[in-house]
Amino acid sequence: MTPNPFNSFLLICQFELNRLFSTRKGLLYLITFSVVWCFILFYPIRIASDLLALKQNSSSGGFFFEYLGLGSLMNWKIPEFGVYWRFSLFLFPMLSIIITSDQTSSDRERGTLRFLTIRISRNGLFFGRFTGAMFIQILLIFATLLTTIGLTIYRDSSLFYDAFYSSLTIIVNLILVLLPFTAMMAALSVSVKSVRTSTTWAVLILVFLAGIIAALSSYIPSIIYLKFLIPGYQISELAKLSLWQPLQLAYIPLLQSFVLLTIGCWIMSRQNL
Amino acid sequence: MNNTIVQCQLIDHYYSGKKALSNVNFNITAGEPIGLVGPNGAGKSTLLNILCGFLRPSSGIVTLFDQKPGSSELNGKISALPQDARLDPTFSIGEQLVFFARLQGFSHKEANNEALRVLDNVALKDSFYEKPIALSHGMAKRVSIAQALIGTPQLILLDEPTAGLDPVNTRNIRSIIAELSPDTTIIISSHDLNELGRLCQNILLLDNGIMDSIQLNTTEEDGNFIQFLTIQMNPCPATDFIGKIKLLEGVLHVSNPQKNEFIVEYNSKIEPKIDLKIINCIADNQWQYRQFSRGKTLEEKLFFENKSI
């Protein structure tokens, strides 16, 4: 009986999905996420989009949002999706850090990885867990977009096609945004021994690394390019773009993901289990 | 036919600068179980972890079935009972064993049957739906052994398989090992020398990271006339016993390594039936023996060979 490496990879992904949908811990997480999302949907998104819809119809509306630094919201045909895009660019990366922080660390600490690596290559396990984590986030994005489509067509059912189109662009762009965050957590997870440590490191990297690089670049100017490797580097720019425009910056998260996954994979292959 | 399945050449391993393994060299051929013994901290688990691919040796070459440890080519060919490894507490035991079986190439239905089979082997079929946290230490160890029995591995590495098990389950594990041999080669690391003595003819001894290989039951069969008997007595005067046994023809030396245990060294060419004479001597003196066996105990051979005589 010869195990097929691709099947094993798919099984690892599937097992990660089971972890979310068939375990008490996963279901608790889903319930918490749903409650938080309902709050975001019914208050910030609905109220802000109502306001936007009102302002879009008035001549002074554009100036008002420009003044607040939210002029890009006017680029979205459906205000709900403009607000969703703004929220999701900050909400999902934060969620990503939390929900993907334990790709391998607990299993390594417990010794469970030993049972697995005797049956699947370390690379297969690493990429399987990473892909599983991405699938979970895609499902969550998908669910939140479905509820946003529902809210939109409840307001105006003729917007269904536009809502669907906007959702498609958002899901592709959000996947690109989340890739480097998930890759960073995969790399951190193979390097440290606990979820808490990997989350702490992620926060330190995101909050302080850019500052450290900026400070060091005054001595070594070329080091400033390292900022490109910090996940989320392009998010403030993305917030100003709409629909397919964010794909202009897709090379940044793809490059970041490639580098972070390579580092994670290298550490995983040399890690003592 | 020389069917070498494990080759280790000049393996060194360091932990924080401290040498755990030093120039370890050995080959293992497919067949009978092999015991791996040594005092605490001798490097047994380190060696098994290297063979499983959990650790990378600091230097040296290791191959299993001509592949590097951890190679995907070895998936399904080798299995292991790692020391202190625990299952994921989130999933039931059955779910995890089915998952392991599926990773080894079983279909879902086959994997389910396989999980039940291996749990049945370790008398834990009823724990299929239980979470690992509900198990005692011994039961958790048996589940870990069960996962090592999934499929038809050609090599199984067991790190202290019976440590913490009750006598009934220890015996059960021993019979499983005996049943699997020689189709499956099993390397057993253990401190239980009685168990290893029963299961293994080949012993690898690790001490201070240095490896030695011992073949049991050979000296008596290789034309060497100097042989040994180990006698465990009910309480008796040791000095009298030694004195009287020494008087028998052919006896070269009698030692008393432990209370009521004696090792008799004799020349079988001078007196081939020394065992009968010793039993007669014991009977004449109205002593009683508890156990009478040829050769030295494994413990004596491995650790006290040069000290006891």
Side-chain angles (χ1 to χ4, degrees):
Chain A
M1 189 167 298
T2 314
N4 178 334
F6 186 68
N7 278 350
S8 301
F9 166 81
L10 290 180
L11 282 166
I12 294 284
C13 293
Q14 191 188 335
F15 206 68
E16 289 309 293
L17 292 176
N18 285 352
R19 199 184 293 278
L20 183 69
F21 292 110
S22 70
T23 65
R24 193 183 296 173
K25 195 176 166 188
L27 290 172
L28 192 68
Y29 172 78
L30 274 182
I31 291 168
T32 312
F33 177 78
S34 306
V35 171
V36 172
W37 178 249
C38 282
F39 174 80
I40 292 171
L41 184 69
F42 289 118
Y43 294 97
I45 292 183
R46 189 176 60 84
I47 293 170
S49 53
D50 284 349
L51 189 65
L52 271 169
L54 279 174
K55 294 289 179 187
Q56 270 178 342
N57 296 330
S58 72
S59 55
S60 61
F63 293 115
F64 174 73
F65 282 100
E66 289 289 350
Y67 180 73
L68 289 176
L70 300 171
S72 59
L73 291 176
M74 307 299 287
N75 297 336
W76 292 82
K77 190 172 178 185
I78 302 173
E80 280 87 347
F81 285 93
V83 180
Y84 177 100
W85 175 238
R86 276 273 176 167
F87 260 95
S88 61
L89 279 178
F90 298 96
L91 176 73
F92 278 107
M94 279 194 293
L95 279 174
S96 181
I97 290 169
I98 295 165
I99 65 175
T100 66
S101 57
D102 192 15
Q103 291 178 48
T104 51
S105 55
S106 296
D107 276 356
R108 194 176 68 254
E109 189 60 8
R110 205 189 300 116
T112 315
L113 280 192
R114 294 178 172 193
F115 294 131
L116 294 169
T117 52
I118 208 98
R119 297 175 166 93
I120 180 170
S121 69
R122 292 185 182 206
N123 285 349
L125 182 67
F126 178 80
F127 285 109
R129 288 275 169 99
F130 168 78
T131 312
M134 280 308 299
F135 268 125
I136 288 171
Q137 294 173 94
I138 291 168
L139 284 174
L140 294 179
I141 295 170
F142 188 71
T144 56
L145 281 170
L146 275 183
T147 55
T148 313
I149 291 173
L151 188 74
T152 307
I153 57 175
Y154 177 73
R155 179 169 64 81
D156 182 351
S157 58
S158 66
L159 291 173
F160 176 76
Y161 173 75
D162 288 325
F164 182 77
Y165 184 72
S166 300
S167 299
L168 190 67
T169 64
I170 286 176
I171 204 162
V172 171
N173 286 318
L174 273 182
I175 290 170
L176 286 168
V177 169
L178 296 181
L179 271 175
F181 284 95
T182 314
M184 176 178 72
M185 296 319 290
L188 284 173
S189 190
V190 296
S191 320
V192 301
K193 286 188 173 180
S194 73
V195 179
R196 192 177 297 174
T197 318
S198 65
T199 313
T200 308
W201 269 109
V203 173
L204 289 175
I205 288 168
L206 295 176
V207 175
F208 294 110
L209 194 58
I212 293 168
I213 290 171
L216 288 176
S217 65
S218 56
Y219 301 100
I220 314 164
S222 56
I223 212 169
I224 197 73
Y225 294 108
L226 284 178
K227 278 174 106 176
F228 266 103
L229 293 178
I230 301 173
Y233 172 78
Q234 80 290 13
I235 281 181
S236 53
E237 289 301 311
L238 289 180
K240 298 171 192 163
L241 305 173
S242 61
L243 298 172
W244 296 114
Q245 288 168 345
L247 289 183
Q248 296 160 11
L249 299 174
Y251 70 94
I252 297 175
L254 289 175
L255 177 72
Q256 290 169 343
S257 306
F258 176 76
V259 172
L260 290 165
L261 286 175
T262 307
I263 293 170
C265 203
W266 184 78
I267 297 170
M268 181 77 171
S269 65
R270 304 181 67 82
Q271 185 72 266
N272 289 340
L273 300 178
Chain B
M1 191 176 68
N2 182 20
N3 190 8
T4 305
I5 56 171
V6 179
Q7 286 184 304
C8 287
Q9 291 170 24
L10 300 170
I11 307 281
D12 284 336
H13 192 74
Y14 295 86
Y15 284 114
S16 312
K18 194 188 166 205
K19 208 165 201 173
L21 293 177
S22 177
N23 282 335
V24 170
N25 272 307
F26 67 94
N27 289 339
I28 290 175
T29 52
E32 295 298 326
I34 291 137
L36 178 60
V37 295
N40 292 331
K44 302 184 296 295
S45 295
T46 303
L47 181 62
L48 287 186
N49 286 340
I50 287 171
L51 292 179
C52 293
F54 305 147
L55 282 181
R56 290 157 56 92
S58 304
S59 65
I61 300 167
V62 185
T63 57
L64 296 97
F65 300 99
D66 298 323
Q67 302 289 331
K68 282 186 175 176
S71 157
S72 54
E73 297 292 320
L74 296 173
N75 296 347
K77 269 190 183 172
I78 70 165
S79 69
L81 164 69
Q83 197 181 36
D84 300 329
R86 286 172 289 135
L87 292 173
D88 190 333
T90 327
F91 294 96
S92 74
I93 288 154
E95 279 175 302
Q96 294 188 68
L97 293 187
V98 168
F99 177 54
F100 294 157
R102 293 209 67 197
L103 286 175
Q104 284 182 223
F106 286 84
S107 70
H108 187 76
K109 193 179 172 189
E110 288 169 342
N112 216 49
N113 293 337
E114 186 65 6
L116 285 168
R117 179 187 73 83
V118 294
L119 280 176
D120 195 29
N121 273 356
V122 295
L124 281 174
K125 202 173 178 179
D126 294 339
S127 301
F128 189 89
Y129 295 104
E130 282 180 24
K131 294 275 172 68
I133 204 156
L135 302 180
S136 68
H137 174 75
M139 290 162 92
K141 174 61 84 64
R142 279 150 60 199
V143 171
S144 298
I145 292 171
Q147 65 76 34
L149 303 175
I150 293 174
T152 48
Q154 293 171 46
L155 173 67
I156 303 181
L157 305 151
L158 301 173
D159 199 349
E160 305 206 17
T162 54
L165 295 192
D166 58 65
V168 174
N169 282 300
T170 301
R171 192 170 177 157
N172 182 30
I173 299 303
R174 205 185 296 137
S175 352
I176 292 170
I177 293 170
E179 269 173 37
L180 288 169
S181 295
D183 299 331
T184 303
T185 308
I186 302 171
I187 302 177
I188 310 158
S189 155
S190 179
H191 286 294
D192 188 340
L193 299 177
N194 286 332
E195 176 186 293
L196 289 182
R198 286 178 190 182
L199 288 168
C200 311
Q201 291 303 306
N202 294 306
I203 300 289
L204 297 172
L205 172 65
L206 257 178
D207 197 0
N208 279 327
I210 298 165
M211 173 77 82
D212 197 2
S213 175
I214 292 160
Q215 180 88 28
L216 300 182
N217 304 327
T218 49
T219 49
E220 289 86 348
E221 292 162 7
D222 291 346
N224 186 349
F225 297 111
I226 306 300
Q227 297 188 14
F228 297 90
L229 286 171
T230 301
I231 308 162
Q232 284 177 2
M233 300 291 294
N234 277 338
C236 73
T239 326
D240 280 4
F241 182 89
I242 293 171
K244 292 203 170 163
I245 299 294
K246 266 186 177 173
L247 292 175
L248 299 175
E249 195 181 7
V251 171
L252 304 173
H253 188 87
V254 182
S255 63
N256 181 206
Q258 291 187 74
K259 193 178 178 188
N260 299 323
E261 184 178 295
F262 301 91
I263 296 172
V264 180
E265 183 184 359
Y266 67 101
N267 188 325
S268 62
K269 196 173 181 186
I270 299 171
E271 182 51 77
K273 293 183 177 175
I274 193 83
D275 40 2
L276 295 177
K277 287 196 166 185
I278 290 174
I279 286 173
N280 282 335
C281 175
I282 289 170
D284 292 345
N285 286 282
Q286 295 182 331
W287 296 322
Q288 286 185 324
Y289 69 86
R290 287 166 55 206
Q291 199 173 338
F292 201 97
S293 54
R294 280 190 176 278
K296 291 180 182 177
T297 60
L298 185 54
E299 177 185 283
E300 198 67 33
K301 275 193 170 186
L302 294 177
F303 299 113
F304 303 100
E305 189 97 81
N306 300 321
K307 298 174 192 170
S308 61
I309 296 173

